[in-house]
Amino acid sequence: MKSVAAGVAASHPATARTGVRILQAGGSAADAAVGAVLACCVAETVYTGLGGGGFATYFEASTGAVTCLDFFVAVPGLDGDRKPESMVAVDVFFGGLPQTYSIGGASVAVPGIPAGLGEVHRRWGRLPWPEVVAPAAGLARTGVLLPAAHARTLESCAPALAYGEGAALYQPGGRLLQGDELLFHPGLATAMDALASDGPAVFYTGAYADVLVETVRAAGGTIGPADLAEYRVHETPVDHATMAGYRVHARHDLNRTVDTIGALPDDLSRPGRAPGVASALLNRGKQRLGDTTNVSVVDPEGNACVITTTLGLGAGVWLPGLGINLNSMLGEGELLTDDLVPGRRMSSYMCPLVVIAPDGGLTVAAGSAGASRIRTALVDTLLGVLVDGLSVPEAIARPRFHVVEDTVHAEAGCPPAELAALADAGWQIVEWPEINHYFGGVTAVGRAGAAGDPRRGGVGLLL
């Protein structure tokens, strides 16, 4: 059976090019994915950054082993010497409606991205750490062009991103950055250089740990030295479900993506499958804006590394002189569960996954942005590749539908026969006038090509 070509899929051309260059230099999938995610932290700061958290799923071709690392944000408060002050409420327009989010120092949870990337590299990297960090440091020195799709996200998220110090970066002179204008974060190159020379510990027990604590506490948050020093990357269980004879391996996320795939109808032919798929994808509760991004990499040996990261909306709390915005995850209402004690990981919708063929070989490495729409985007893409015979670019680009309560939200171009089948089954239908970033942002490398999601300005490059 055809093997997966080596390649990189990401949501920014600079991110994808960084991953490809690292593969060309002899790096593993892990090296390329780590380098690409660091590039995300420069080029995709409307979605992610060194102050956020994430998950990495790794497929080892020689053994068939699938591992998932959890480096999502942790609840602060281990020091026990501070109470959080009030958060800052901001209204963000999403789907044309204002939604209130909370940012500021009290929204900042313990970041995991530096530690997580360091652990991915330690386990599966081949190149020296400084060589993996260097491309992102180079991008930070020059800045990058903001894709039009990212500019549209910025427009939605401006009340949070252009808050405080962020105003000068995202809204210089009072005008929001537009597509193909330069996004530049002063000081970020300094942070990347220190990360290259000192390793991830620079943010947890090294020179920048005190800076992080002082900055967050001055803004009303509670992160202390113990929170940073005690942060650890966790290996989290991986489960699998079967789709069309292929095994889909991933962690159990807040949306239960693996369980959803297992609950899909046996007959997956179109258009009859639509009501059954809608029932499996049923999503309850308010839909929130999710600033997330994903990198998918396959190396020439067939190893795969998929890393999904996020800042939330960003807290609007910036590390002075370092160009790093911190996460706002404690202000994300749907992630606040009853068991959030200091040191505990927060919950997440993120679900980087790999698909294994009956012959044991890799078929697809994929992940998505989009909060509660991550599951929708991934399931539809996998149906496209594994069932409908589409290439990866075709499957990612085609119109999707997402289910909330009794309503199916359908992108422009969804097949009329499927919408009719859904309506006949009792679903309310809301047809969107365009393809929209609300419906997620998949990046994937597979036997049928590589692609980033056009909804997010994505790019897929083969080696």
Side-chain angles (χ1 to χ4, degrees):
M1 188 178 282
K2 180 184 177 185
S3 62
V4 177
V8 180
S11 293
H12 193 292
T15 303
R17 287 196 298 267
T18 295
V20 167
R21 282 202 298 271
I22 292 174
L23 288 178
Q24 290 170 334
S28 67
D31 290 320
V34 168
V37 171
L38 289 169
C40 289
C41 294
V42 180
E44 304 180 36
T45 59
V46 296
Y47 301 124
T48 194
L50 288 172
F55 296 85
T57 297
Y58 192 85
F59 170 74
E60 195 165 21
S62 62
T63 64
V66 181
T67 306
C68 186
L69 298 183
D70 174 349
F71 53 95
F72 199 45
V73 299
V75 179
L78 290 176
D79 296 83
D81 61 343
R82 287 292 177 104
K83 295 287 187 185
E85 297 176 17
S86 297
M87 298 187 196
V88 178
V90 293
D91 282 339
V92 172
F93 279 82
F94 183 46
L97 299 173
Q99 294 189 12
T100 301
Y101 286 76
S102 298
I103 62 172
S107 75
V108 181
V110 183
I113 285 179
L117 298 183
E119 182 64 10
V120 171
H121 177 265
R122 186 189 71 80
R123 291 192 183 209
W124 301 293
R126 281 198 295 254
L127 298 179
W129 173 254
E131 289 184 27
V132 174
V133 182
L139 290 174
R141 274 184 265 283
T142 61
V144 295
L145 296 181
L146 185 74
H150 294 209
R152 289 191 289 272
T153 302
L154 173 59
E155 190 174 353
S156 297
C157 302
L161 286 170
Y163 174 84
E165 190 176 322
L169 305 172
Y170 295 110
Q171 200 169 7
R175 185 181 69 87
L176 284 174
L177 288 181
Q178 305 295 305
D180 290 331
E181 292 186 337
L182 187 69
L183 173 66
F184 177 72
H185 295 283
L188 187 51
T190 300
M192 288 291 181
D193 287 341
L195 180 63
S197 61
D198 299 351
V202 71
F203 290 102
Y204 298 94
T205 55
Y208 295 157
D210 288 345
V211 175
L212 199 158
V213 168
E214 291 166 9
T215 302
V216 171
R217 290 188 166 198
T222 61
I223 290 179
D227 292 313
L228 296 177
E230 294 299 318
Y231 185 89
R232 297 292 184 273
V233 177
H234 297 159
E235 188 170 315
T236 192
V238 176
D239 202 353
H240 73 272
T242 302
M243 178 188 288
Y246 295 82
R247 286 178 292 119
V248 181
H249 294 258
R251 64 180 284 264
H252 280 289
D253 62 284
L254 199 56
N255 249 340
R256 300 169 60 91
T257 300
V258 171
D259 295 334
T260 298
I261 291 170
L264 291 173
D266 293 333
D267 182 3
L268 290 175
S269 56
R270 305 180 84 176
R273 75 183 183 210
V277 170
S279 295
L281 289 174
L282 176 61
N283 203 297
R284 300 193 182 280
K286 182 183 289 188
Q287 303 298 286
R288 305 275 283 182
L289 185 60
D291 272 4
T292 319
T293 193
N294 187 79
V295 169
S296 300
V297 179
V298 177
D299 65 24
E301 289 75 40
N303 305 301
C305 190
V306 186
I307 303 181
T308 315
T309 61
T310 186
L311 272 180
L313 287 183
V317 177
W318 294 76
L319 298 187
L322 298 175
I324 296 172
N325 190 10
L326 297 174
N327 71 82
S328 60
M329 303 316 297
L330 288 169
E332 301 283 329
E334 71 274 28
L335 302 183
L336 302 181
T337 54
D338 294 335
D339 58 354
L340 290 185
V341 297
R344 182 73 58 87
R345 284 294 200 277
M346 295 186 69
S347 299
S348 171
Y349 295 107
M350 292 186 282
C351 189
L353 59 81
V354 293
V355 180
I356 309 304
D359 65 4
L362 180 71
T363 300
V364 180
S368 182
S372 57
R373 279 84 56 207
I374 287 174
R375 174 181 62 164
T376 292
L378 288 172
V379 168
D380 187 71
T381 298
L382 295 183
L383 285 170
V385 173
L386 304 180
V387 178
D388 301 335
L390 301 180
S391 69
V392 169
E394 290 169 337
I396 291 175
R398 74 173 178 180
R400 301 176 188 138
F401 65 76
H402 177 69
V403 185
V404 185
E405 303 290 355
D406 63 349
T407 301
V408 171
H409 293 263
E411 285 186 297
C414 276
E418 286 199 347
L419 297 183
L422 288 163
D424 289 344
W427 296 95
Q428 302 296 312
I429 309 295
V430 174
E431 296 189 57
W432 289 52
E434 77 281 310
I435 302 293
N436 192 281
H437 73 130
Y438 167 82
F439 291 86
V442 178
T443 69
V445 181
R447 291 180 176 176
D453 204 311
R455 297 164 183 81
R456 305 283 177 127
V459 176
L461 300 175
L462 295 178
L463 200 57

